[in-house]
Amino acid sequence: MLFAGVAVLYAATAMIYGWNLTLAIVNMALIGAIMALGVNMQWGYAGLFNIGVMGFVALGGLAAVVVSMPPVPEAWAAGGMGVILGLLIGAATVIAAMMIWARMPKGRARGVLVAGVLLAGFFLFRAVFDPATAAVEAVNPAGTGYLGGMGLPVLLAWPAGGVLAAGAAWLIGKTALGLRSDYLAIATLGISEIVIAVLKNEDWLARGVKNVTGIPRPWPVPYEVALQQRPGFGDWASGLGFDPATASSIIVKLGYAGLFLVVILVIVVALELALKSPWGRMMRAIRDNEVAAAAMGKDVTARHLQVFVLGSAIVGVAGAMMTTLDGQLTPGSYQPLRFTFLVWVMVVVGGSGNNWGSVLGGLLIWWLWVMVEPLGLAVMQAVTAGMADGHWLKAHLLDSAAHMRLLTMGVLLLVVLRFSPRGLIPEK
């Protein structure tokens, strides 16, 4: 019944605003639902409070660029190998310091040697890395100024986004999962901001704030111009009551929606099977009582790391899908309000611990996020219809309509927590 109610909302939107806008909302809602599934796996399965969702979304978007965009031969010739060598030196420095710390006995000598290795490695890294990145960024900075990608089909970027996010989650989890829940939340938030800062400032990687545009579309989603140029397409669209531009846009959005539905169904089925397996029962036992689970021989930290990596991988897949849908990577658009807080609202409202609840939350919350502002403006216009033009209260109410979405999210979250604290579809 709840899903039917959400379907009615989307149908009403299509009738009032048209299918073009409705399908755009549907596609972003499906991506939001996948993000919510990843967060629900971490929180609903294991009780891990991750508020660094934005960073894993951004890493998925980076994967779309690295996998699908063509390489820039001039940039590689100018400094590509220097960049690779510098990164290898940095990684080798960290690994060497870790090995020394693990193998040497405690004492001042160990600390001095580790500090010396890190300091020497840092200066060697900068000596190789800085000139190489400067050379890469100097190659046609208005059009490229970065190394480019591998030129592979963009569909491969979706699992690659999951792998990249999972790798980052493993590194984060190895250092942060030993912290208490509130400290874990602070650590993940800080690391996600570091990821965004790197994307904004390292132009050689993905052009920074100059953005990467022209990310190719996945098969079989066509381009609107190609559809409009097909013989007979205009007559076919006119027969359905659409102009060719609108019809081609709707077909493209339907193609994306079909791909996203396949992904979300695969993820939901896999998560449901995992939740009902012995592994899922173990994870919920750890979530409910870590001490008792540890007493029964379960490695709580290892299981936390496992579910943290898997949940982050799902978020990374969604991030790659979103960048593919947008056709561009814009690091400046990654904000915690949209890519962390809103995803958490989807999980809480839908029902933490329930995969179908996360899907419902994604569909409902994203519809509200998009539609509340125009609906709020219509409500304010109706309320102030009898007021004289230029009245201060009328102007204030009309200007406040832009903030209706934030008010609605807060009120909805409070209402759900008060009257249905386990969400609209509670965990069984």
Side-chain angles (χ1 to χ4, degrees), residues 308-369:
F308 186 71
V309 168
L310 291 173
S312 300
I314 295 174
V315 174
V317 171
M321 293 167 61
M322 188 189 70
T323 300
T324 305
L325 176 64
D326 294 340
Q328 60 182 354
L329 176 66
T330 55
S333 67
Y334 290 105
Q335 301 294 333
L337 176 63
R338 179 179 175 188
F339 295 108
T340 297
F341 170 73
L342 200 62
V343 176
W344 269 100
V345 173
M346 294 174 182
V347 173
V348 174
V349 171
S352 62
N354 191 309
N355 295 312
W356 290 110
S358 296
V359 175
L360 177 70
L363 296 173
L364 174 61
I365 297 303
W366 187 255
W367 183 89
L368 288 171
W369 183 255

Side-chain angles (χ1 to χ4, degrees), residues 214-263:
I215 295 175
R217 290 181 176 175
W219 181 88
V221 179
Y223 285 90
E224 290 86 350
V225 174
L227 283 174
Q228 295 168 22
Q229 292 175 347
R230 289 185 180 180
F233 180 82
D235 296 335
W236 175 81
S238 299
L240 295 176
F242 297 104
D243 61 88
T246 302
S248 61
S249 180
I250 290 175
I251 290 175
V252 168
K253 290 180 173 67
L254 284 173
Y256 276 115
L259 289 175
F260 296 165
L261 281 172
V262 171
V263 174

Side-chain angles (χ1 to χ4, degrees), residues 89 117 182 221 230 241 377 401 427:
I89 291 173
V117 168
D182 48 353
V221 179
R230 289 185 180 180
L377 180 60
E427 178 184 6

